[in-house]
Amino acid sequence: MYNHILIGFDGSEDSVKALERAAQFYALNRDCKITVAHVIEQHINNMAAYNYTYPVVPSINGGMNPSPIPLPENELPPEIQETSRHSTILDHAKSFLMSQGVPAEFESLDGKPVNDDLCEFASEQDVDLIIVGNSGKGALQKLLEGSVSEKVMKKAEMDVLIVK
């Protein structure tokens, strides 16, 4: 039986199926540790982009201070909007697993390609099973870049389950 399962989650329908399968494994072995990882491309997770979260407004003593009111998401730079979307993706995974009574840890990993980060993280964390969905990309992107799940299967040192 598996002791530590890593789910590669991108919010796609197949990655939700990966969560479902992890919940099934957890039902068989409640001592199993579950980790859900979502990879954020490096250019998106740029900490400098957080400087744009608050508008700068004049203060009463003449200086410029950040406003205490965040900008609406549609007024944020694309980098921040994308980072927010990634947080929402993990929130969906959290909600689903909580509804199933499955305790889990959640990680946002920085980098590209996704398969490298996922496999490296799995090795560092002593994961013995990676579960990924069969497809999270559009057909054109998959044709041009190849399938992340296939790359994970080839690169991983541990068992990989690809869910359809």
Side-chain angles (χ1 to χ4, degrees), residues 96-110:
F96 174 80
L97 290 175
M98 284 178 60
S99 75
Q100 302 296 307
V102 177
E105 295 180 6
F106 299 86
E107 297 287 338
S108 291
L109 306 177
D110 301 328

Side-chain angles (χ1 to χ4, degrees), residues 4 7 19 22 24 52-53 57 70 82-83 96-97 114 121-123 132:
H4 189 180
I7 300 104
L19 289 177
Q24 292 170 349
Y52 297 102
T53 304
V57 295
E82 192 67 14
T83 301
F96 174 80
L97 290 175
V114 171
F121 180 78
S123 293
V132 291

Side-chain angles (χ1 to χ4, degrees), residues 8 10-19 132-136 163-164:
D10 64 4
S12 67
E13 185 177 323
D14 283 347
S15 70
V16 171
K17 291 177 184 176
L19 289 177
V132 291
N134 186 44
S135 65
V163 181
K164 290 183 177 187

Side-chain angles (χ1 to χ4, degrees), residues 54-66:
Y54 297 98
V56 176
V57 295
S59 70
I60 39 179
N61 58 355
M64 299 299 273
N65 291 329

Side-chain angles (χ1 to χ4, degrees), residues 40-47 49 79 82-83 110-112:
I40 302 172
E41 294 178 29
Q42 285 177 339
H43 72 277
I44 292 170
N45 194 25
N46 180 352
M47 290 305 287
E79 297 87 3
E82 192 67 14
T83 301
D110 301 328
K112 190 176 182 181

Side-chain angles (χ1 to χ4, degrees), residues 10 12 134-143 145-148 151:
D10 64 4
S12 67
N134 186 44
S135 65
K137 296 181 176 184
L140 179 61
Q141 188 178 9
K142 186 175 178 179
L143 178 67
E145 297 178 8
S147 165
V148 169
K151 290 177 182 177

